[in-house]
Amino acid sequence: MKRYTAESVLTILASFIILVFFSQSTLAAEIDLKFSHSFSPMHTMQKKVFEPWGEKLSQLTDGKVKVTMFPGGALGKPGDQYVLAEHGIADIVYLLHDYSPGRFPVTSLFELPFMIPSAEVGSEAMWKTYEAFPAFQKEYSKYKVLALFCHPPGHFHTTKTPIRSIDDFNGMKMRTASPWVTAALKNFGSIPVEMPITDTYTSLERGVVDGTVVPFEGLGIFKLDDLVHYTTLADFYTVTMAVLMNKRKYESLPDDVKKAIDDNSGLVMSSWCGKAYDSAEIPFKQRAIDKGIEMIELPDADMQKLHAQTLPLRDEWTKEMKKRGIDGKPILEGSLQYLGHD
């Protein structure tokens, strides 16, 4: 009969413990959720929301879930992110709706000018409006929606010619973010040029456009503050965004994982995204000031005119919804109530 020494017993025991440890680790990380987006791995949302969200999900599931980030368009182009989520190429995606114009028409309501006071308020209003109206929910029927949100109100930034009055918009070539912003700029007398934010630096540098609409966070993240010299403060517009999950993947998850996701998405995650964007705006605005960018405030009378010139776009939005068989008026009224408008 083979005798085991104390040393061999300890070796076997240690090996057993290591085997159990790695087996449990493997089991604990058996659910790996692929999270895709098209921006830098240093983007505000990835660092301030998505990575902490993934870590929290892992903690709440005792390590059962791991969220792996795929930034920089590694899995697909900016306009294809919702397709990645729909077909399961990615489990979760972060998308900007303006990369897919016309695909999410009800959501575009929040891109109307002078709608939102802050990213947090706007993001919470988006989610509450989504929950309240089936027509809003219908355009996301292929997904598990984790968050709907927006960035802080954007301003006008120009390279050579400042905008000091409403008349200065005339003939100004402005990079635009969405069809409704395009329509507003036309009303102001500007020449809107639609392009992705990622193309804006080169276009400003080459004089293809005279300026751009963007919040301070975007101005800094994309280094546009190296080129612009003037900012006209206006709280003009926002771009809407979403975090979507493949519905089949969500439905396949264990109940405890679903609960962890549900408890940390929806209004919770939407508000989190809005707060993160608002917080990022403060240092990026200071960065612009430190770079010597002049901050300009339009006269009150001019601001009132700008507001007046964009109000008809709300009616245009409801007419556009009617063409799609959607009664947009109650959705618009509901959103304005959630946003705190009179």
Side-chain angles (χ1 to χ4, degrees):
M1 180 177 178
K2 185 176 181 179
R3 294 181 178 273
Y4 292 96
T5 65
E7 183 178 358
S8 62
V9 170
L10 288 174
T11 300
I12 294 170
L13 182 59
S15 299
F16 176 76
I17 292 172
I18 291 171
L19 179 62
V20 170
F21 173 81
F22 279 107
S23 297
Q24 289 179 340
S25 297
T26 302
L27 290 172
E30 62 184 354
I31 301 173
D32 190 352
L33 300 178
K34 301 186 296 294
F35 196 139
S36 169
H37 67 80
S38 57
F39 299 109
S40 160
M42 300 307 295
H43 191 276
T44 299
M45 285 295 100
Q46 175 164 331
K47 302 307 291 185
K48 299 295 185 180
V49 180
F50 303 149
E51 288 181 5
W53 181 82
E55 291 167 3
K56 187 173 184 180
L57 193 61
S58 180
Q59 292 170 1
L60 290 172
T61 58
D62 295 324
K64 186 185 296 184
V65 174
K66 176 185 176 184
V67 176
T68 302
M69 301 298 304
F70 290 87
L75 298 183
K77 298 177 181 178
D80 295 336
Q81 293 299 312
Y82 73 93
V83 179
L84 302 182
E86 181 179 342
H87 295 288
I89 299 169
D91 299 309
I92 304 171
V93 300
Y94 163 44
L95 62 89
L96 275 68
H97 295 98
D98 65 338
Y99 281 111
S100 309
R103 173 61 182 81
F104 301 94
V106 178
T107 309
S108 71
L109 164 64
F110 289 89
E111 296 183 350
L112 290 167
F114 302 116
M115 284 281 284
I116 73 155
S118 70
E120 181 182 357
V121 171
S123 300
E124 291 181 355
M126 283 183 69
W127 186 263
K128 291 175 182 177
T129 307
Y130 167 78
E131 282 194 314
F133 294 96
F136 200 166
Q137 298 163 19
K138 186 176 180 180
E139 65 186 27
Y140 295 97
S141 61
K142 295 181 179 180
Y143 313 96
K144 165 68 175 178
V145 185
L146 301 185
L148 295 168
F149 55 103
C150 59
H151 65 47
H155 310 283
F156 304 102
H157 310 275
T158 56
T159 53
K160 297 178 180 179
T161 305
I163 299 173
R164 300 188 188 279
S165 73
I166 194 170
D167 294 333
D168 292 331
F169 284 100
N170 289 326
M172 186 80 72
K173 292 179 293 183
M174 298 291 294
R175 176 260 168 187
T176 177
S178 70
W180 295 112
V181 172
T182 296
L185 289 171
K186 286 180 179 178
N187 288 350
F188 301 162
S190 294
I191 302 170
V193 181
E194 294 191 17
M195 69 175 67
I197 187 66
T198 48
D199 295 342
T200 306
Y201 187 97
T202 302
S203 295
L204 287 171
E205 189 175 40
R206 295 178 178 176
V208 175
V209 293
D210 303 310
T212 182
V213 290
V214 73
F216 286 106
E217 184 267 350
L219 195 73
I221 286 289
F222 296 100
K223 299 183 178 180
L224 306 181
D225 52 6
D226 289 340
L227 301 174
V228 305
H229 295 97
Y230 308 97
T231 290
T232 301
L233 302 167
D235 289 346
F236 172 51
Y237 84 108
T238 193
V239 164
T240 59
M241 293 162 262
V243 177
L244 306 179
M245 186 172 186
N246 177 271
K247 182 178 281 189
R248 294 183 301 277
K249 182 67 175 182
Y250 171 79
E251 292 173 347
S252 73
L253 296 173
D255 289 342
D256 61 326
V257 175
K258 287 181 185 177
K259 184 177 187 306
I261 291 174
D262 291 345
D263 289 348
N264 291 280
S265 60
L267 183 61
V268 172
M269 192 176 189
S270 300
S271 181
W272 189 357
C273 291
K275 289 177 182 177
Y277 260 130
D278 282 337
S279 296
E281 194 75 346
I282 298 169
F284 278 111
K285 181 178 181 181
Q286 187 60 51
R287 167 174 152 154
I289 293 171
D290 293 343
K291 282 177 172 284
I293 297 175
E294 181 182 350
M295 300 290 145
I296 301 167
E297 292 188 13
L298 291 174
D300 289 343
D302 283 8
M303 282 301 302
Q304 290 173 12
K305 288 178 183 177
L306 291 181
H307 279 261
Q309 288 180 11
T310 61
L311 277 177
L313 294 178
R314 297 180 184 181
D315 291 333
E316 290 298 318
W317 181 85
T318 58
K319 290 176 184 177
E320 179 64 28
M321 293 305 104
K322 188 175 182 179
K323 292 178 183 178
R324 296 172 178 269
I326 299 169
D327 185 2
K329 187 174 181 181
I331 304 176
L332 171 62
E333 292 173 348
S335 71
L336 292 173
Q337 182 178 359
Y338 292 130
L339 287 164
H341 289 277
D342 293 333

